[in-house]
Amino acid sequence: MRMAVLDGKQIAKEIRDQLAREIEDLKQEGTVPGLAVILVGDHPASRSYVLAKERTCKELGMHSVLTELPESISEEELLEYIQSFNLDEQIDGILVQLPLPSHISESKVIEAILPEKDVDGFHPINIGRMHAGDEQAFIPCTPLGILEMVKQTGEEISGKHVVVVGRSNLVGKPVGQLFLQENATVTFCHSRTKNLTEQTLQADILIAAVGKPNLITEDMVKPGAVVIDVGVNRKENGKLCGDVDFEAIKPKAKHITPVPGGVGPMTITMLMNNTVLASKWRKKLKEVH
């Protein structure tokens, strides 16, 4: 059986090339898409993600503002920063890097961002719009990246059985919803699912998003399945690995994503995609008024 490792970096590059062309067209019309990123504290992983986002903005020719705040900042002060970006005409998208310190309510922070600038897709209004199938919804970046990767395989999604292992609000639930809207049949599995192997063996498309190293083993995947690994874990030797036993499963899968280099590069690319979309939608709104 032919097996293809899905190269997230390559797929992301192709999408970014297209975005760069769209950004150039917007600039010709006097619009520069702008993204504001707020980092609270000095969490190494968060800092790494934020710097990668800022670098990608610059590579694409977008306007980018990085605000770094101390971990001790009050919730009220953070909300004031968000409000200033809500009012800033140069900013189309606002992202507050999670997780936040324990004294700050993540839900309050997310809800403080204007839905039309919520390029992370976490605001309850955007979540509601996504579930309703509204085209004017921002889709969370990782689920959107996963859907795009599966589409890139050329595999038919309609009528297929998608099994999602994981039910988080950030990945599991929204990615299942996206595939449901593509007319797939979707099964959600989680820590209390009985006979997990029985469920995963039915998957035409298997998405693992739980954060447990090598949870999905070779005997849990049917031949010819598309396997998407969202997990990012560290082995005892410090090396990164996913939720899927990649080496054991790759001869069996039709398409499979590696860790690193699979879903990860797509997440930042979809953030850029959402920011460009936000810019276009805001431009259209201004033209109407």
Side-chain angles (χ1 to χ4, degrees), residues 69-220:
L69 302 170
E71 193 158 343
S72 58
I73 192 168
S74 70
E75 182 176 276
E76 189 180 351
E77 286 173 305
L78 177 55
L79 294 176
E80 285 173 7
Y81 275 98
I82 291 168
Q83 181 59 9
S84 71
F85 287 126
N86 280 338
L87 299 171
D88 190 335
E89 283 298 310
Q90 287 189 299
I91 297 300
D92 298 292
I94 302 168
L95 181 147
V96 180
Q97 184 65 44
L98 303 178
L100 291 168
S102 57
H103 66 280
I104 296 174
S105 163
E106 286 191 359
S107 59
K108 270 190 188 176
V109 165
I110 290 165
E111 288 175 32
I113 299 169
L114 283 176
E116 57 266 34
K117 292 193 178 189
D118 166 44
V119 287
D120 245 346
F122 293 161
H123 194 289
I125 286 177
N126 278 316
I127 292 167
R129 285 174 178 164
M130 180 192 72
H131 280 269
D134 188 337
E135 288 183 6
Q136 288 283 112
F138 288 114
I139 310 297
C141 302
T142 299
L144 187 58
I146 292 165
L147 178 61
E148 190 57 41
M149 289 188 92
V150 174
K151 284 182 174 180
Q152 289 283 334
T153 67
E155 295 291 319
E156 180 70 38
I157 296 173
S158 180
K160 292 292 175 68
H161 190 174
V162 176
V163 176
V164 182
V165 185
R167 53 176 171 177
S168 73
N169 290 328
L170 301 186
V171 180
K173 288 178 186 174
V175 81
Q177 184 65 29
L178 290 186
F179 278 93
L180 193 62
Q181 288 171 6
E182 296 289 331
N183 298 314
T185 298
V186 179
T187 299
F188 290 95
C189 298
H190 45 79
S191 57
R192 296 191 186 181
T193 298
K194 292 178 180 176
N195 304 321
L196 180 61
T197 299
E198 199 176 291
Q199 300 294 332
T200 60
L201 280 171
Q202 295 178 45
D204 301 306
I205 300 167
L206 177 61
I207 301 167
V210 285
K212 288 188 179 176
N214 296 339
L215 173 73
I216 307 297
T217 51
E218 184 270 339
D219 62 310
M220 297 171 74

Side-chain angles (χ1 to χ4, degrees), residues 234-277:
R234 286 207 182 271
K235 296 180 184 176
E236 288 177 10
N237 61 10
K239 282 190 177 178
L240 283 178
C241 70
D243 291 351
V244 169
D245 187 346
F246 179 80
E247 290 302 331
I249 292 170
K250 90 174 167 181
K252 202 175 186 181
K254 191 171 184 183
H255 302 281
I256 187 168
T257 61
V259 176
V263 174
M266 294 295 290
T267 299
I268 293 177
T269 299
M270 291 300 107
L271 174 67
M272 301 300 133
N273 176 77
N274 282 354
T275 305
V276 171
L277 255 184

